[in-house]
Structures are given as structure tokens and as C-alpha cells.
Amino acid sequence: MTLLELLVVIVLLGLLSAIGAQVIPGDERRLQSASERVEHRLRKARLSAMRSGAAVFVPCESMASSRRGEAAKADRDTGFTVSCTSAAGRERGITFFPDGSSSGETIGFMTGKSRARIRVDALTGTLTFE
């Protein structure tokens, strides 16, 4: 083998390993897809409240589930932890009202060393991803 052939093989192995590393989902990628899924559910609940004219409650437990309408059994089912932070005395979840406002909460996502948050504004009901 010549030196040129050896260099070509090393470059090809480097490219294949770089592509393989992107295909394997890491903590941040899993966390981002989970938070986007929750953000979509919350937007849908807000629109549902505005259309129906009735308040819609989204419990914190249902946000951790990968399947719609089911609460996550444990951290091992989803691979991440969801925590909801609200004012004392409120139920653990978010309520969207017909005028577009909400009960206002912060939803935290954690997996490994990665963290993300979605803030729900109480006055406008809009979502901010951090």
C-alpha cells in the first residue's frame, strides 16, 4: 500500500465516523425533540381553549409522555424528566383560558447534563423556548 491509499482510507473512516456520530441521538437532540413535542401540545391546547370557549387544563404528567394522553410511568420510559413550576396552591399543570391567557408556568426538561425550559406567559399564553 502506498501512503496515498492509506491517507484515503483514514479520511473515509473519519467521514464515516462523523456521519455515524450525527445519526446516534444524543441527550441534547432527544431533549430538543421532547421539548418541541410538548411545545406543540401546549400550542394546540391554547388554540383549543380559544376555539371552544372553555378552559383547557394540561397536566404536567402528560407532558412527559411520548404517547398522547398517557402519563409517563417513570424517567426510564421517556429518557427525560419534566418538572412544572407554578405559584403555590395551584394544580400541577397549565390551564389555558378562552381569551388566550393561561395560568402561567415554567416547564423544565432535564436529561443527563442537558436542560431546557418552556415559559408560558400568564397574560398572553404565549410560549417561549429557552
Side-chain angles (χ1 to χ4, degrees):
M1 283 210 302
T2 65
L3 183 60
L4 182 61
E5 291 171 331
L6 187 61
L7 287 174
V8 168
V9 169
I10 291 172
V11 167
L12 286 175
L13 286 174
L15 286 172
L16 289 175
S17 66
I19 291 170
Q22 291 180 357
V23 171
I24 299 171
D27 283 348
E28 287 187 30
R29 200 169 291 181
R30 244 185 24 235
L31 187 67
Q32 182 180 3
S33 74
S35 60
E36 286 173 357
R37 188 172 52 244
V38 169
E39 186 177 11
H40 176 73
R41 284 183 187 174
L42 293 175
R43 288 184 195 280
K44 195 171 179 179
R46 181 174 180 254
L47 286 174
S48 176
M50 292 169 66
R51 286 184 184 151
S52 69
V56 174
F57 178 72
V58 182
C60 186
E61 295 81 29
S62 71
M63 293 180 210
S65 175
S66 59
R67 292 179 290 278
R68 189 175 182 173
E70 295 181 18
K73 293 181 184 109
D75 191 29
R76 62 179 159 26
D77 290 348
T78 58
F80 63 93
T81 305
V82 177
S83 63
C84 298
T85 308
S86 67
R90 291 196 188 156
E91 293 185 54
R92 302 295 286 171
I94 299 173
T95 303
F96 290 99
F97 302 106
D99 63 354
S101 63
S102 72
S103 59
E105 285 211 31
T106 300
I107 302 138
F109 301 89
M110 295 170 276
T111 180
K113 295 180 182 178
S114 302
R115 299 183 193 293
R117 287 192 305 195
I118 297 176
R119 290 186 188 268
V120 182
D121 185 62
L123 185 60
T124 62
T126 56
L127 307 172
T128 307
F129 182 75
E130 299 175 349

